[in-house]
Structure formats: structure tokens, C-alpha cells
């Protein structure tokens, strides 16, 4: 709306040429001071490198550099010690600087849709981190030091190259959301039971053949998505997941997503009867 436009930092008409960053004599004028955070958004500016003035804006708490063409984030990132939210999604980053560990106030980090093959161990020094998205990269493992991210609640590792769930994840007891869809997972370790606060667990589109019995002990689960795997049988104790409200078909719905698996008979017919029918079948079978 027009009012929203006036409240924004700056808007350009179609066809207007972006000014060179060096032309900004007062970079602080780009900051937006809200009720809770001092913000700076440089989204979709066609940047291939970060402007030098950025690292002098040490008061910024929310920084959005998403949807540019950034190849490198320099070590100077560590100067922005007040950062709470950092969005680097939709760039061409192959790595993150180890100085990211200096951002001790960081709570939310998006580095989705980049070209990362690894994550620096220093990220584990961001002990306040609550939300982390590394989806759509080329990551196959995480550093063991991730066990120190004890405040982490939401972790998105979808569309990467994980063959197994990294062991460090099972130490993240505060996790309530874990997305590992579209990887190369072949199994789910029994250690998954240690994620005692998990509410949403997505492992769709992998190569998983069986679900571990220990998964049934995460009684907080409200959404379990195992669509598009190679699952033939279900654990007898699955009925313990009483927070699952239904057999779900819409990706946005809570419940058990079990479609597009080669379930052995009579499971396909039982599943069609709904969750109560499935749970009764498994309970009686046991």
C-alpha cells in the first residue's frame, strides 16, 4: 500500500538505476528503526559483493541480504555483534566466515538456497540461536560442536545431501521443528527418541525403508511426514503418537503423512480407513 511504501527505507520506480553504494554519504539513513529492532534490508539489489559501509553499522540488529548474487561474506561480519536476525538466503555463498561465531546475540539465521558444502564449527558459539535454515544447499554433514546449540528450536536441513541424520542433532533437546526432506536418508536412528519436544518432523522424499520403534516415544509429535520413501511396514507402537490428529494428505495439515510408500498389505487398505483404524490395527497386532 501507499502507506507501507512511505514507511519503507527507500523504493525505486521501474527502470530507475540503482545508485552506486559509494554515493551514499550517510549509510545510517538506510537504517529503519522499529519498535524492537534496528533493521537494514538490501534484498534484491543485484549485489555481487557487500558494500564496505555495511560493517560500520554496528547498531543494526536485523540484516537482510537475501536474493542477491553474493559469493562471499567477509570476516567483517563479526563486527555486527548486535545482530539478532540475519538473512543470507538466495545467494551464491560457498562458505560462511568463521567470524559468524562472534554474533553472540544471533537468534535467527537463514542461509537457505546457496551453495554451501559445509558449516563452520564456530556457528555453535551462537548459543542464543533459535531458528536455523540451511535448506537447498549441498551439505552432507554438520560439525559435532552443533551439540552446543541448546536453544535451537527450528532446524531446516531439507534439500541437501545427508545420507544419515547427523548425530549432533539428537543432542538438541529444545527442537520442536526438524525438516530433513529431500535428502538421501536411508534410515532414522533409534536416537531420535531423545528429541523429546519435537512437534513437527519431516523426512519426506528420502530412501527410508523402516521407521524405528523409538520414534513412537516422541509423544509430542503433531506432524510426521514420511511421504515418498520406501517404507513397507509400520512399528506396532505407532499408536502411542496420540497428538497426531489424522492421516494427512495436504502438506500443510498436521497428522501422519504416509502416502507414496510401498506399504505391505493390508496396510494400504487400513490407512485408507483413517488414523483410528490404523492405530487399532497396530494395537491389536501387537
Amino acid at each position: 500500500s501507499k502507506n507501507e511504501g512511505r514507511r519503507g527505507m527507500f523504493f525505486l520506480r521501474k527502470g530507475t538505476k540503482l545508485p552506486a553504494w559509494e554515493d551514499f554519504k550517510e549509510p545510517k539513513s538506510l537504517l529503519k528503526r522499529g519498535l524492537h529492532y534496528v533493521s537494514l534490508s538490501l534484498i534484491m539489489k543485484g549485489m555481487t559483493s557487500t558494500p564496505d559501509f555495511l560493517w560500520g553499522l554496528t547498531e543494526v540488529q536485523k540484516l537482510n541480504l537475501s536474493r542477491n548474487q553474493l559469493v562471499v561474506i567477509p570476516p567483517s561480519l563479526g563486527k555486527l555483534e548486535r545482530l539478532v536476525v540475519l538473512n543470507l538466503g538466495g545467494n551464491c555463498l560457498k562458505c560462511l566466515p568463521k567470524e559468524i561465531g562472534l554474533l553472540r546475540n544471533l537468534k535467527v539465521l537463514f542461509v537457505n538456497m546457496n551453495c554451501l558444502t559445509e558449516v563452520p564449527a564456530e556457528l555453535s558459539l551462537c548459543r542464543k540461536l533459535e531458528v536455523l535454515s540451511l535448506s537447498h544447499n549441498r551439505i552432507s554433514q554438520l560439525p559435532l560442536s552443533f551439540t552446543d546449540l541448546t536453544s535451537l528450536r527450528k532446524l531446516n536441513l531439507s534439500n541437501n545431501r545427508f545420507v544419515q541424520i547427523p548425530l549432533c542433532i539428537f543432542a538438541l533437546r529444545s527442537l520442536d521443528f526438524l525438516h530433513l526432506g529431500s535428502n538421501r536418508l536411508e534410515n532414522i536412528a533409534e536416537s531420535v527418541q531423545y528429541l523429546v519436544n519435537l512437534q513437527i518432523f519431516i523426512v519426506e522424499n528420502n530412501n527410508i525403508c523402516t521407521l524405528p520403534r523409538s520414534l513412537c516415544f516422541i509423544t509430542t509429535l503433531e506432524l510426521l511426514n514420511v511421504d515418498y520413501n520406501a517404507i513397507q511396514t509400520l512399528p506396532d507402537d505407532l499408536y502411542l503418537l496420540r497428538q497426531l490428529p489424522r492421516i494427512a494428505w495436504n502438506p500443510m495439515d498436521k497428522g501422519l503423512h504416509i502416502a507414496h510408500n510401498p506399504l505391505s498389505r493390508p496396510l494400504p487398505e487400513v490407512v485408507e480407513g483413517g488414523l483410528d483404524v490404523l492405530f487399532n490395527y497396530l494395537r491389536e497386532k501387537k
Side-chain angles (χ1 to χ4, degrees):
S1 69
K2 292 182 179 179
N3 289 335
E4 289 174 338
R6 292 191 188 101
R7 287 197 296 267
M9 288 178 293
F10 60 90
F11 291 82
L12 298 173
R13 293 181 180 177
K14 188 175 180 180
T16 303
K17 187 178 179 181
L18 276 169
W21 294 118
E22 54 267 23
D23 292 341
F24 284 107
K25 301 214 166 48
E26 296 182 12
K28 287 190 176 184
S29 65
L30 296 173
L31 296 176
K32 181 179 180 181
R33 301 177 187 275
L35 291 176
H36 302 288
Y37 297 111
V38 177
S39 305
L40 173 60
S41 178
L42 298 177
I43 181 174
M44 293 181 68
K45 301 302 179 190
M47 297 186 299
T48 55
S49 61
T50 51
D52 290 340
F53 72 74
L54 183 58
W55 315 119
L57 302 177
T58 54
E59 59 201 298
V60 68
Q61 295 166 288
K62 291 179 68 175
L63 176 60
N64 191 342
L65 299 176
S66 66
R67 300 175 70 182
N68 281 287
Q69 300 168 36
L70 300 175
V71 178
V72 173
I73 298 295
S76 302
L77 174 66
K79 295 179 180 179
L80 305 183
E81 296 180 357
R82 296 186 185 180
L83 275 184
V84 177
V85 179
L86 175 59
N87 191 341
L88 300 171
N91 280 287
C92 307
L93 302 175
K94 293 184 178 180
C95 62
L96 293 173
K98 63 181 181 180
E99 287 78 10
I100 198 168
L102 298 174
L103 307 181
R104 303 299 169 86
N105 291 302
L106 198 63
K107 290 185 178 181
V108 178
L109 175 61
F110 293 100
V111 204
N112 52 298
M113 300 184 73
N114 276 279
C115 305
L116 299 183
T117 56
E118 60 182 9
V119 183
E122 289 79 7
L123 182 59
S124 61
L125 297 174
C126 302
R127 304 290 171 81
K128 294 183 180 181
L129 198 62
E130 297 178 6
V131 178
L132 174 60
S133 178
L134 296 167
S135 69
H136 293 84
N137 278 283
R138 303 169 185 172
I139 305 168
S140 59
Q141 58 186 358
L142 295 177
L144 287 175
S145 59
F146 258 49
T147 56
D148 294 332
L149 294 176
T150 54
S151 297
L152 199 62
R153 294 186 299 106
K154 302 188 187 305
L155 177 59
N156 191 340
L157 297 172
S158 63
N159 290 272
N160 275 285
R161 298 179 179 178
F162 292 98
V163 175
Q164 60 184 8
I165 301 176
L167 291 175
C168 58
I169 288 180
F170 301 130
L172 306 178
R173 306 297 168 82
S174 296
L175 275 186
D176 59 42
F177 175 97
L178 177 58
H179 195 340
L180 278 155
S182 299
N183 275 280
R184 302 171 181 177
L185 299 181
E186 298 175 352
N187 60 66
I188 299 173
E190 294 284 348
S191 301
V192 71
Q193 65 183 312
Y194 296 122
L195 301 178
V196 294
N197 291 300
L198 201 59
Q199 296 176 25
I200 296 177
F201 185 33
I202 303 172
V203 285
E204 64 177 347
N205 194 28
N206 278 285
N207 303 310
I208 299 167
C209 295
T210 59
L211 298 179
R213 181 170 180 262
S214 63
L215 180 64
C216 305
F217 303 144
I218 311 177
T219 55
T220 51
L221 277 177
E222 297 177 7
L223 188 158
L224 173 59
N225 190 336
V226 294
D227 285 348
Y228 293 97
N229 275 282
I231 298 168
Q232 297 183 34
T233 62
L234 296 175
D236 293 343
D237 291 319
L238 196 67
Y239 67 87
L240 295 174
L241 301 180
R242 297 185 182 92
Q243 297 298 319
L244 295 177
R246 64 181 70 85
I247 298 290
W249 304 100
N250 187 318
M252 302 302 293
D253 286 346
K254 290 183 177 180
L256 174 62
H257 297 253
I258 191 72
H260 303 284
N261 280 281
L263 295 174
S264 58
R265 293 189 178 279
L267 282 176
E269 293 80 7
V270 174
V271 167
E272 285 185 8
L275 194 64
D276 288 341
V277 173
L278 174 62
F279 280 0
N280 287 335
Y281 168 80
L282 293 172
R283 190 184 292 109
E284 291 172 4
K285 180 170 174 282
K286 184 180 179 182

